[in-house]
Amino acid sequence: MKILVTGNLGYVGPVVVEWFHTHKPESVIVGYDLGFYKNCITMDLQKNDKFLPDVQIFEDIRNIEKKFLEGFDAVIHLAAVSNDPMGKIFHDATFEINYKGTVRLAKLAKEAGVKSFVFASSCSVYGFSGTEARTETSEVMPLTTYAESKILSEEFLRTLADENFIVTALRFSTAAGMSCRLRLDLVLNDFVYAAITNGVVKILSDGTPWRPLINVKDMARAIEWATEREHSNGGAFVAVNIGSNDSNYQVINLANAVAQLIPGTRIDINKNAAPDKRSYKVNFDLFKKLAPNHQNQVSLEETIFELKHGIENLGLRNMQKVASDLIRLNVLQNLLSTNKIDSGLHWRH
Ligand SMILES: NC(=O)c1ccc[n+]([C@@H]2O[C@H](COP(=O)([O-])OP(=O)(O)OC[C@H]3O[C@@H](n4cnc5c(N)ncnc54)[C@H](O)[C@@H]3O)[C@@H](O)[C@H]2O)c1
């Protein structure tokens, strides 16, 4: 199988590449990324080449051509401006890349004869759910540009899918866990890093918001399922929540779990914080029904230990320097202020 992975130089991408090299060694993987975080790495990739695709292309998905897509069996589309704070500051670029870029890529992939299109969507499309877990048929409530870009893309993909172009929109839980391109702007990753370096986990909200959580390896496991999904299993288009029913946590529970596993950690709750509007509990029954052999395997405890081990291996001396490279908004703002990119997130050459 020849597979294109867009956004492979992000947090999730390398874990997906490694997954396919390990579990589907016959696959040929082509990575396609414009490289915003090219140098934000936490290990020597020459010594860890399992994270590298067979071919790497440095390009912008906004410019992708049909000719390039010919010959691929599947596209795993991860490239995006990938969180709420970046979506707020780079509003137009988020819409251009996440929505218009997806439309262009998917249309051309279909014309080029690609059979399977996997779209990285997000449970954040539910926005606020109260205490009732949201299913795929629940009303969505995108509260941010990022979430809006994901739901608009899904709506378009639904119209494009047919028996010869199978589309799976994976509404991922919040990711956590180790990657050779670790991110510290994700709730659990941030908590473990803070516990190790400062001994204090700071909760910016009152701790009550709900978030479903998933280990990055389990994301890759779900992606494998989606690339192979047949029309008879869910239809030409399906949007499916990716996670498990026992992995819906309140933020305070995550902090408590970190404090329990990393002794000496203190939790600092911001009692004056305005209520976080984004709080969603999610139901994952459909994923269980469609993909019984690709369910989550990595527990919260294992994820915390994996992060602890990975972060400790960075070496305390380098941590501060490394950390600033691991917050995506910092990296983009740094590229902008040094004139390397423009506000539309294009490289200035
Ligand atoms: N990490 C999570 O918690 C999470 C949860 C739900 C969904 N997702 C989705 O999964 C996908 C991967 O997430 P991630 O955490 O690895 O994101 P990331 O920001 O770490 O990586 C995204 C990659 O896309 C690349 N990219 C951005 N714009 C591009 C463009 N125009 N052309 C080519 N490449 C471009 C970036 O350079 C980056 O390497 C994203 O679509 C994200 O929205 C992530």
Side-chain angles (χ1 to χ4, degrees), residues 23 37 63 79 97 103 118 137 147 156 161 189 209 218 235 314 346:
H23 297 269
Y37 316 107
N63 303 328
I97 294 173
V103 167
V118 181
T137 54
F156 172 76
N189 298 4
D218 285 329
L314 297 178
H346 303 96

Side-chain angles (χ1 to χ4, degrees), residues 42-262:
T42 45
M43 64 179 75
D44 181 348
L45 292 179
Q46 295 316 316
K47 291 188 189 143
N48 291 282
D49 60 358
K50 58 193 178 176
F51 297 109
L52 303 176
D54 299 294
V55 179
Q56 179 69 56
I57 309 288
F58 284 98
E59 254 299 346
D60 190 321
I61 54 153
R62 287 172 285 188
N63 303 328
I64 203 156
E65 297 291 347
K66 177 177 155 192
K67 186 126 199 58
F68 173 80
L69 290 159
E70 285 167 2
F72 284 101
D73 301 292
V75 171
I76 298 170
H77 181 34
L78 305 175
V81 181
S82 60
N83 68 22
D84 294 336
M86 288 193 288
K88 196 167 173 192
I89 299 209
F90 297 99
H91 173 275
D92 292 352
T94 299
F95 189 74
E96 292 281 329
I97 294 173
N98 293 15
Y99 173 55
K100 289 197 178 163
T102 299
V103 167
R104 178 186 172 92
L105 172 67
K107 267 187 186 166
L108 295 178
K110 182 175 176 179
E111 284 173 24
V114 172
K115 295 276 173 293
S116 165
F117 191 89
V118 181
F119 175 60
S121 187
S122 165
C123 283
S124 66
V125 297
Y126 298 116
F128 184 82
S129 77
T131 49
E132 197 165 313
R134 289 296 191 245
T135 72
E136 292 78 357
T137 54
S138 303
E139 198 189 344
V140 295
M141 196 192 287
L143 297 174
T144 61
T145 306
Y146 168 71
E148 182 128 11
S149 73
K150 293 292 181 185
I151 205 69
L152 284 173
S153 300
E154 282 192 18
E155 279 164 16
F156 172 76
L157 291 169
R158 187 185 295 275
T159 65
L160 197 68
D162 64 24
E163 279 198 19
N164 300 314
F165 187 65
I166 305 293
V167 179
T168 313
L170 302 172
R171 291 183 180 170
F172 285 118
S173 301
T174 299
M178 205 54 202
S179 158
C180 64
R181 294 176 179 279
L182 178 66
R183 303 290 185 238
L184 297 177
D185 47 20
L186 292 161
V187 60
L188 189 71
N189 298 4
D190 170 48
F191 285 179
V192 174
Y193 177 80
I196 292 170
T197 51
N198 298 328
V200 182
V201 167
K202 280 200 174 138
I203 304 184
L204 300 176
S205 66
D206 65 358
T208 57
W210 288 91
R211 287 284 185 287
L213 210 77
I214 186 169
N215 184 285
V216 272
K217 285 192 208 63
D218 285 329
M219 292 173 85
R221 198 185 312 276
I223 287 172
E224 179 199 326
W225 164 74
T227 55
E228 293 173 353
R229 186 176 75 80
E230 305 256 339
H231 184 269
S232 56
N233 185 27
F237 173 90
V238 70
V240 53
N241 298 333
I242 302 297
S244 69
N245 288 337
D246 57 7
S247 296
N248 282 296
Y249 299 98
Q250 283 182 290
V251 171
I252 183 70
N253 300 143
L254 296 175
N256 283 333
V258 170
Q260 211 167 37
L261 297 177
I262 304 179

Side-chain angles (χ1 to χ4, degrees), residues 178 192 196 303-314:
M178 205 54 202
V192 174
I196 292 170
T303 304
I304 293 172
F305 280 128
E306 168 187 307
L307 282 164
K308 179 174 181 290
H309 182 70
I311 291 169
E312 283 171 349
N313 273 352
L314 297 178

